[in-house]
Amino acid sequence: MYKVLVVDDEPLMLEGWKTMVDWQACGYELCGTATDGEEALALIRACDPELVITDIRMPVLDGIGLIRAMKEMGYGAKTIIVSAYSDFSYAQKALCYQVDRYVLKPLLTEEIHSLLLDMAASLEDWRQTAASATKMQADAAAEAIVGLLGNGGPAAVDMAARLLGVNERTRFRLMIAESIGGSDDSESDRSPLIVRMKTLTEALFIDGARAWSFEESPGLAGLLIIDNDLNDEQFEELLEETLVKKGWPPRELALYCSEAAIGLMTVPKLYRQALEIRSRALLGSNAGIHCYRDRKVTGPWCLEEMTAYVGELLHSIETNDLIGIDRSVDGLVRLFDKTGAQEGLMKTAVRHIRGELLRRYAELGANHKEATDWLHQLLDGTESGDKASWTSTSLKRLSMKATEHFTVKEPSARTNGNAITEAIDYLKQHFRGKIRLQELAGRFHLNPTYFGQQFKRETGYSFHDYIHRLRINEACKMLRRTDMLVSEIASALGYHDTEYFTAKFKALSGKLPSSYKYKRQG
């Protein structure tokens, strides 16, 4: 679909564009309408259309002025001018700004459809050219960054500065991502690591900040990030929240973050910091966020002990072992006392514990919003690891509050087992409809979090993963036994978005739905 914006100061004309044109049949998506050029510019910034259709005479900013402003701003969208005036001077002005088409009102619906279909080929060429140019620019930037990672001299710095559009006052930080190991969790993102880093960039920097992804070696990708406003703690908080919203970090991904520093000359130092924190693998070789600033308060003499105590504490929380919580926290505090940097180490441990609790809670079937809401609720009234000194008492309080969400003391194991079996049977009968974990747990009078935990132990899959597997198994049967379209099968199985269904199908079966249908007919 090509995104199109229509601009006209006549309300009836705009209504006609909305209702009389079959955009989808022509391969287009109407992403917005505007009544003057200034309003149109705001929409262009927001939705970046590939085609702009504009009236020529409008108040505030006319069609020619709009196109001129677009070109000056760097937008290369195709343009069509529609006018009720046949004055050749307008056509001349339009040609000066490389307007693609100039047509006269009134237009018939058939003529509009013919025009749109005729424009499709040039739009596809433009899209591919733009994508190629963007890729070339990104590749050049990545190559320049990789050239800086060692000890790039002044020439390398100057070249990178020109490509990235930065200066000697720009502040950077560097982050490396590494694939830790495989996972059978179909919900995890299996895209190439460099693609996932680009996706993370888009999610992190929605307010105009910039970052460039690069691939240092297979299984090791990175981001060079412009970071002008955030201190270390704020950046880590933003990163953590973004990962949770994306459903990351999956268990096979670790992120190693440097400090912030001024100028491209500091990139080698930032890179060494990221590699150092990677080599020390703070808190062990675990997925998650590992920050260089934590290294300052951590000595090699306590890493293994700290890892062991944190692991014991998390296990005690999940099993509702209050004695184990006391023992683990007391052991951590004794360890911190030996380092002479108790507050810093406690904050490091708490950030890791908090992230692990959040990830594990989400694994039990809670969606991302529920998981973050639970985290905020958990910390409410408890000292925050980023704002105050943690003590043995406050960490024990946090841990005991967390047990309420992971375990319950009711009912008996035999009753629970029967309930899970009945729940599985229910899902096998009703998986085509919308089913929420909370509602199904309520049907069997179980705590939702506990139900999710027991369900995964019984089936080996999270609640949502199990439903997807039931649906995709059924989809395979329908593709081979019926003549239904892929979109019809998706809808019948509870997927309102065919593209999402296709992605799930490929993730679980390893093939596209179309390949199954072809196999049946071949």
Coordinates of all heavy atoms in Angstrom, one line a residue, residues 303-339:
L303 N 31.8 -11.4 42.3 CA 30.8 -11.6 41.2 C 30.1 -13.0 41.4 O 28.9 -13.1 41.3 CB 31.5 -11.5 39.8 CG 31.8 -10.1 39.3 CD1 32.5 -10.2 38.0 CD2 30.5 -9.3 39.2
E304 N 30.9 -14.0 41.6 CA 30.3 -15.3 41.7 C 29.4 -15.4 42.9 O 28.4 -16.0 42.8 CB 31.4 -16.4 41.7 CG 32.2 -16.5 40.4 CD 33.2 -17.7 40.5 OE1 33.2 -18.4 41.5 OE2 34.0 -17.8 39.5
E305 N 29.9 -14.9 44.0 CA 29.1 -14.9 45.2 C 27.8 -14.1 45.0 O 26.7 -14.6 45.4 CB 29.8 -14.4 46.4 CG 31.0 -15.2 46.9 CD 31.8 -14.6 48.0 OE1 31.3 -14.7 49.2 OE2 32.8 -13.9 47.8
M306 N 27.9 -12.9 44.4 CA 26.7 -12.1 44.2 C 25.7 -12.9 43.3 O 24.5 -12.9 43.5 CB 27.1 -10.8 43.5 CG 25.9 -9.8 43.4 SD 26.2 -8.4 42.4 CE 27.6 -7.7 43.2
T307 N 26.2 -13.5 42.2 CA 25.3 -14.3 41.3 C 24.6 -15.4 42.1 O 23.4 -15.6 41.9 CB 26.2 -14.9 40.2 OG1 26.9 -13.9 39.5 CG2 25.3 -15.7 39.2
A308 N 25.3 -16.1 42.9 CA 24.7 -17.2 43.7 C 23.6 -16.7 44.6 O 22.5 -17.2 44.7 CB 25.8 -17.9 44.5
Y309 N 23.9 -15.6 45.4 CA 22.9 -15.0 46.3 C 21.7 -14.5 45.5 O 20.5 -14.7 46.0 CB 23.5 -13.9 47.1 CG 24.4 -14.4 48.3 CD1 25.7 -13.9 48.4 CD2 23.9 -15.3 49.2 CE1 26.5 -14.4 49.5 CE2 24.7 -15.8 50.2 CZ 26.0 -15.3 50.4 OH 26.8 -15.7 51.4
V310 N 21.9 -13.8 44.4 CA 20.7 -13.3 43.7 C 19.9 -14.5 43.1 O 18.7 -14.4 43.2 CB 21.2 -12.4 42.5 CG1 20.1 -12.1 41.6 CG2 21.8 -11.1 43.1
G311 N 20.6 -15.5 42.6 CA 19.8 -16.7 42.1 C 19.0 -17.3 43.2 O 17.8 -17.7 43.0
E312 N 19.6 -17.5 44.4 CA 18.9 -18.1 45.5 C 17.7 -17.2 45.9 O 16.6 -17.7 46.2 CB 19.8 -18.2 46.7 CG 20.9 -19.3 46.5 CD 21.9 -19.3 47.7 OE1 21.7 -18.5 48.7 OE2 22.9 -20.1 47.6
L313 N 17.9 -15.9 45.9 CA 16.8 -15.0 46.3 C 15.6 -15.1 45.3 O 14.5 -15.2 45.7 CB 17.3 -13.5 46.4 CG 16.2 -12.5 46.7 CD1 15.6 -12.8 48.1 CD2 16.9 -11.1 46.7
L314 N 15.9 -15.1 44.0 CA 14.8 -15.2 43.0 C 14.1 -16.6 43.2 O 12.9 -16.6 43.1 CB 15.4 -15.1 41.6 CG 15.9 -13.7 41.2 CD1 16.7 -13.7 40.0 CD2 14.7 -12.7 41.1
H315 N 14.8 -17.6 43.4 CA 14.2 -18.9 43.6 C 13.3 -18.9 44.9 O 12.2 -19.5 44.9 CB 15.3 -20.0 43.8 CG 14.7 -21.4 44.0 ND1 14.1 -22.1 43.0 CD2 14.7 -22.1 45.2 CE1 13.7 -23.3 43.6 NE2 14.0 -23.3 44.8
S316 N 13.8 -18.3 45.9 CA 13.0 -18.2 47.2 C 11.7 -17.4 47.0 O 10.7 -17.7 47.5 CB 13.9 -17.6 48.3 OG 15.0 -18.3 48.6
I317 N 11.8 -16.3 46.2 CA 10.6 -15.5 45.9 C 9.6 -16.4 45.1 O 8.4 -16.4 45.5 CB 11.0 -14.3 45.1 CG1 11.8 -13.3 46.0 CG2 9.7 -13.6 44.5 CD1 12.3 -12.1 45.2
E318 N 10.0 -17.1 44.1 CA 9.1 -17.9 43.3 C 8.5 -19.1 44.1 O 7.4 -19.5 43.8 CB 9.8 -18.5 42.1 CG 10.2 -17.4 41.0 CD 10.7 -18.0 39.8 OE1 11.7 -18.7 39.8 OE2 10.1 -17.8 38.7
T319 N 9.2 -19.6 45.1 CA 8.7 -20.7 45.9 C 8.1 -20.3 47.2 O 7.8 -21.2 48.0 CB 9.9 -21.7 46.1 OG1 10.9 -21.1 46.8 CG2 10.4 -22.3 44.8
N320 N 8.0 -19.0 47.5 CA 7.4 -18.5 48.7 C 8.2 -19.0 49.9 O 7.6 -19.3 51.0 CB 5.9 -18.9 48.8 CG 5.2 -18.1 49.9 OD1 5.6 -17.0 50.2 ND2 4.1 -18.7 50.4
D321 N 9.5 -19.0 49.8 CA 10.4 -19.5 50.9 C 10.9 -18.3 51.6 O 11.9 -17.7 51.3 CB 11.6 -20.3 50.3 CG 12.5 -20.8 51.3 OD1 12.3 -20.6 52.5 OD2 13.6 -21.4 50.9
L322 N 10.2 -17.9 52.7 CA 10.5 -16.7 53.5 C 11.9 -16.9 54.2 O 12.6 -15.9 54.3 CB 9.4 -16.4 54.4 CG 8.0 -16.2 53.8 CD1 7.0 -15.7 54.9 CD2 8.1 -15.2 52.7
I323 N 12.1 -18.1 54.7 CA 13.4 -18.3 55.3 C 14.6 -18.1 54.3 O 15.6 -17.5 54.6 CB 13.5 -19.7 56.0 CG1 12.4 -19.8 57.1 CG2 14.9 -20.0 56.5 CD1 12.3 -21.2 57.7
G324 N 14.3 -18.6 53.1 CA 15.3 -18.5 52.1 C 15.6 -17.1 51.7 O 16.7 -16.6 51.4
I325 N 14.5 -16.2 51.7 CA 14.6 -14.8 51.4 C 15.5 -14.1 52.4 O 16.4 -13.4 52.1 CB 13.2 -14.1 51.4 CG1 12.5 -14.6 50.1 CG2 13.4 -12.6 51.4 CD1 11.0 -14.1 50.0
D326 N 15.3 -14.4 53.7 CA 16.1 -13.9 54.8 C 17.6 -14.2 54.6 O 18.5 -13.4 54.7 CB 15.6 -14.3 56.1 CG 14.4 -13.5 56.6 OD1 14.2 -12.5 56.1 OD2 13.7 -14.0 57.5
R327 N 17.8 -15.5 54.3 CA 19.2 -16.0 54.2 C 19.9 -15.4 53.0 O 21.0 -15.0 53.1 CB 19.1 -17.5 54.1 CG 20.5 -18.2 54.0 CD 20.4 -19.7 54.0 NE 19.7 -20.2 52.9 CZ 18.5 -20.8 53.0 NH1 17.9 -21.0 54.2 NH2 17.8 -21.2 52.0
S328 N 19.2 -15.3 51.9 CA 19.8 -14.7 50.7 C 20.1 -13.2 50.8 O 21.2 -12.7 50.5 CB 18.9 -14.9 49.5 OG 18.7 -16.3 49.3
V329 N 19.1 -12.5 51.4 CA 19.4 -11.0 51.5 C 20.5 -10.8 52.5 O 21.3 -9.9 52.3 CB 18.0 -10.3 52.0 CG1 18.3 -8.9 52.4 CG2 17.0 -10.4 50.9
D330 N 20.5 -11.5 53.6 CA 21.5 -11.3 54.6 C 22.9 -11.6 54.0 O 23.9 -10.9 54.3 CB 21.3 -12.2 55.8 CG 20.1 -11.7 56.7 OD1 19.7 -10.6 56.5 OD2 19.6 -12.5 57.5
G331 N 23.0 -12.7 53.2 CA 24.2 -13.0 52.5 C 24.7 -11.9 51.6 O 25.9 -11.5 51.5
L332 N 23.7 -11.3 50.8 CA 24.1 -10.2 49.9 C 24.6 -9.0 50.7 O 25.6 -8.4 50.4 CB 22.8 -9.7 49.1 CG 22.5 -10.6 47.9 CD1 21.1 -10.1 47.4 CD2 23.5 -10.4 46.8
V333 N 24.0 -8.7 51.8 CA 24.4 -7.5 52.6 C 25.8 -7.7 53.2 O 26.6 -6.8 53.2 CB 23.4 -7.2 53.7 CG1 23.9 -6.1 54.7 CG2 22.1 -6.7 53.1
R334 N 26.1 -8.9 53.7 CA 27.4 -9.2 54.2 C 28.4 -9.1 53.1 O 29.5 -8.6 53.3 CB 27.5 -10.6 54.8 CG 26.8 -10.8 56.1 CD 27.2 -12.1 56.8 NE 26.8 -13.3 55.9 CZ 25.6 -13.9 56.0 NH1 24.7 -13.5 56.8 NH2 25.4 -14.9 55.2
L335 N 28.1 -9.5 51.9 CA 29.0 -9.4 50.7 C 29.2 -7.9 50.4 O 30.4 -7.5 50.1 CB 28.4 -10.1 49.5 CG 29.2 -10.1 48.2 CD1 30.5 -10.9 48.5 CD2 28.4 -10.8 47.1
F336 N 28.2 -7.1 50.4 CA 28.3 -5.7 50.1 C 29.2 -5.0 51.1 O 30.0 -4.1 50.8 CB 26.9 -5.0 50.0 CG 26.0 -5.6 49.0 CD1 24.7 -5.6 49.1 CD2 26.6 -6.3 47.9 CE1 23.8 -6.1 48.1 CE2 25.7 -6.8 46.9 CZ 24.4 -6.7 47.0
D337 N 29.1 -5.4 52.4 CA 29.9 -4.7 53.4 C 31.4 -4.9 53.2 O 32.2 -4.1 53.5 CB 29.5 -5.3 54.8 CG 28.1 -4.8 55.3 OD1 27.7 -3.7 54.8 OD2 27.5 -5.5 56.1
K338 N 31.7 -6.1 52.6 CA 33.1 -6.4 52.3 C 33.7 -5.5 51.2 O 34.9 -5.3 51.2 CB 33.3 -7.9 51.9 CG 33.0 -8.9 53.0 CD 33.5 -10.2 52.6 CE 32.9 -10.7 51.4 NZ 33.3 -12.1 51.0
T339 N 32.9 -5.0 50.3 CA 33.4 -4.2 49.2 C 33.7 -2.8 49.5 O 34.4 -2.1 48.8 CB 32.4 -4.2 48.0 OG1 31.2 -3.5 48.4 CG2 32.0 -5.6 47.7

